[in-house]
Structures are given as structure tokens and as C-alpha cells.
Amino acid sequence: DNKIRVNVKQDIHGTILLSSAQMVEEVVEEEPEKDEEMKGEDAAAKEGDESKKEETKPEKKKKIKKTNLEFSESRPLEWTKAEMDTYYEKEVSMSNIDRIVKETADMRNELESYVYDMRDKIISENQLGPYGTDSEKSAFSSALEKTENWLYEEGFDAKKSVYADKLGALKKLGDPLQMRQNEAQARPNAMNVLKRTVEKYQNWVNTSAADEQYGHITDDEWTKAREVCDSTSNWMYDAMDKQGSLSPSQNPAVTVAEINAKSNEITKVISPIMHKPKPKPKVEEKTEEKAAPATDKPTEEGKTEPMDT
């Protein structure tokens, strides 16, 4: 019986494809024909040996024959476009559900982390403790406690928007304390930068006004540089005095952003004056007088006749 052998493979998309097809059959191997003389000898020998017992015939050899078959594949699309659109919408819907579940869980974890973090910081003198009044810390602590209890009771399966609203309400109480802490930590460095900037430009104005190297700078520019140095210096010391009279739990008299803005302002005014290039000297064109060419030929009047010797 003939058999058909097929080889299949799977592509990267998981689709089963037909790779090859062969027909496999068993074929009896035929013995080669003998010459005529050999046939005669064999016939004579057979007649003489009629009385002998017939010998058993050997089994004929068989071999496997493989034949490659041509084939074609047909994979008709069983789904209609409407069905494809329906399944696509279901897939998008499930993806959105997964996204909402993840975002809700992330928001819940963020709210929970904020409660635990702030609960410990507001009672620590090394953290937010010095930057809030007693009433502020009491109200904040009470709100944190209520939110924590709500999380493990009716708020366990709340929506993302509810968690976001709860977190926003807590940050309204906690952000002022964090702002004061951040300002207090960054203010000293910002003040030092402004102070060094003012001193650098004041020293340059006082020592370079009479220097010939800066003789190309006008009097108006020198006056402008002095005024901005004096005004910035007065503003800086006034801000330091105001801030020194406040407690850490009060809003700062001046912010780090304002201090940095003053540093940039004085630099923008004086740096162009300091680095003002000198004007290029005027090049005067020199007129070269052309000398009259000397003639070696004697004039007619200066000719002399040779003397007879």
C-alpha cells in the first residue's frame, strides 16, 4: 500500500505550514535477464534434475521508493470583517480594564506610602517637625490617621479617582511643611552664591575704573554697574534680616528662586560691560612719495669734446 508522508512546520506566529509531501511505496526489485546460452544450459540442467526435489525459491528483495509530490496550501479566512472588529474591540476593552486595575493599584500604593512616610516625618525634629506649627501638625496627623483607617476599611476597593482625591487633600496639608524644609536647606547656598557674585563685581568696579585696560567703558556704564551692585547688595542684606527674624515654621521671607534670579540679574547687567571689547584702532593710510628717477645721460650743455693729445 502506498503512503503519503507530509512534513509540517510552525512559523513565528504559531501557524502550522506544510513543508513537504512524499509518496512512499514498496517496489519489488526485478532480477536482471540472462543471456540466451545461459538460458539453454539452465533448461538442460532442469530437465536432468526433474527427479530431484524442487528447491525453495529465495524471497524477492523489496525497496522503498520515495516520490516528491507537488502541493498547494489553502487557508481561507473564516472570520468576517465584522467578527474581526468585534474581537478587536473586546481585546481593547480587556486591555483598558487591565490598565485601569494597574493604575488604581499604583495610586493606592502611592497614597499608602505617603501616609506612612508623612506620619513619621511630622514627629521627627530632623525632618518636618520644626517646619510646622502645632495646629498644622495636629491637623495633618489627624488627616493621616483617618486616611489610614479608611484605606483598610471601606476604601480598600475604591476607584482610582477617589485615591487621587484623598492624596491631593493630604498634600494640601503636607506640602507647606515640605516647602519650608526645602527652602531652609537650599537657602544658605543660594545666599552664598549671590554674596560672592556681588562682591566680585563690586571689587571689579572699585579697582578697574581707573585702569587703562577699561578706558573704553563709558561713564554711564560705570554708573550703571555701581548702581546694580549697590541695589543688589541692599536687597540681599535686607532679605537676610527679614528671614532671620522668622521661625522655621513660618513661610520664608524670600525664596531660593528669587535669590537665584537676583544673581542672574546682576550678572546679565555687569558681565557685558566687563567683557566689552576694545574698539579697533584706526589704520591711517601712508602715502609714499615717489622719487624721481636719476638720469646718467649728460645734458647737451654738459658735453665736452675730447682733447687732442
Side-chain angles (χ1 to χ4, degrees):
D1 295 336
N2 297 338
K3 298 179 180 180
I4 302 296
R5 175 188 293 174
V6 294
N7 296 324
V8 296
K9 63 181 180 180
Q10 186 179 24
D11 62 9
I12 59 174
H13 304 293
T15 305
I16 302 300
L17 303 176
L18 188 60
S19 176
S20 62
Q22 291 179 332
M23 183 176 66
V24 181
E25 55 183 339
E26 291 184 353
V27 180
V28 177
E29 187 176 6
E30 297 180 357
E31 295 181 358
E33 295 182 358
K34 298 181 179 180
D35 297 336
E36 294 295 334
E37 295 180 358
M38 294 295 295
K39 288 181 179 180
E41 294 177 358
D42 291 341
K46 286 181 181 180
E47 291 177 357
D49 297 337
E50 288 179 354
S51 59
K52 295 181 179 179
K53 295 180 180 180
E54 295 181 355
E55 297 180 358
T56 58
K57 296 182 179 180
E59 294 183 358
K60 295 183 179 181
K61 296 181 180 180
K62 296 180 179 180
K63 64 178 182 179
I64 303 299
K65 181 181 179 182
K66 298 178 180 179
T67 305
N68 292 328
L69 302 177
E70 295 183 358
F71 62 91
S72 61
E73 295 176 294
S74 176
R75 298 191 300 275
L77 185 63
E78 297 179 358
W79 291 348
T80 64
K81 185 178 184 305
E83 291 174 329
M84 295 265 307
D85 293 341
T86 300
Y87 292 131
Y88 176 75
E89 291 175 359
K90 289 182 179 180
E91 181 183 6
V92 172
S93 176
M94 290 187 290
S95 177
N96 289 333
I97 293 173
D98 293 340
R99 177 180 56 80
I100 293 173
V101 170
K102 182 180 182 303
E103 290 178 355
T104 303
D106 292 342
M107 183 57 67
R108 185 182 189 281
N109 292 335
E110 185 178 353
L111 175 60
E112 187 178 23
S113 299
Y114 185 83
V115 170
Y116 291 151
D117 188 37
M118 292 295 109
R119 184 184 60 183
D120 297 333
K121 284 184 176 180
I122 59 175
I123 61 176
S124 174
E125 292 299 319
N126 296 326
Q127 295 291 334
L128 298 179
Y131 302 102
T133 62
D134 292 339
S135 59
E136 287 176 331
K137 290 187 290 185
S138 177
F140 192 24
S141 178
S142 176
L144 291 172
E145 184 178 358
K146 289 180 180 179
T147 304
E148 182 180 3
N149 295 333
W150 174 84
L151 271 173
Y152 296 107
E153 294 175 0
E154 63 269 20
F156 188 80
D157 293 326
K159 294 181 179 180
K160 173 188 172 183
S161 59
V162 178
Y163 291 134
D165 293 340
K166 291 284 186 181
L167 181 60
L170 291 178
K171 286 188 174 182
K172 287 182 179 179
L173 300 174
D175 285 351
L177 280 69
Q178 286 188 303
M179 181 272 292
R180 295 167 193 160
Q181 181 189 36
N182 295 335
E183 288 288 328
Q185 292 174 347
R187 190 183 306 113
N189 182 60
M191 276 294 186
N192 288 334
V193 171
L194 177 59
K195 186 177 180 180
R196 289 195 301 267
T197 303
V198 172
E199 291 176 349
K200 179 183 72 172
Y201 288 130
Q202 282 180 334
N203 181 61
W204 174 79
V205 170
N206 295 333
T207 59
S208 303
D211 194 341
E212 294 181 359
Q213 181 181 357
Y214 299 101
H216 59 284
I217 297 177
T218 64
D219 293 339
D220 291 340
E221 290 173 330
W222 285 115
T223 301
K224 184 179 180 181
R226 290 190 186 94
E227 289 177 352
V228 72
C229 284
D230 294 340
S231 63
T232 305
S233 178
N234 294 335
W235 180 89
M236 177 182 65
Y237 287 109
D238 183 59
M240 292 172 67
D241 291 340
K242 289 180 180 179
Q243 185 61 45
S245 63
L246 299 178
S247 66
S249 60
Q250 293 177 292
N251 290 331
V254 59
T255 63
V256 174
E258 292 173 335
I259 299 172
N260 292 334
K262 280 292 180 180
S263 297
N264 294 333
E265 180 183 342
I266 189 174
T267 300
K268 288 180 180 179
V269 173
I270 300 182
S271 182
I273 299 175
M274 178 187 292
H275 300 95
K276 180 181 178 181
K278 293 182 179 181
K280 295 182 179 180
K282 296 181 180 180
V283 180
E284 297 181 358
E285 295 182 358
K286 297 181 180 180
T287 57
E288 298 181 357
E289 297 180 356
K290 296 183 179 180
T295 57
D296 295 336
K297 295 182 179 180
T299 61
E300 295 295 336
E301 298 177 353
K303 287 186 178 179
T304 56
E305 293 181 358
M307 296 178 64
D308 294 335
T309 55

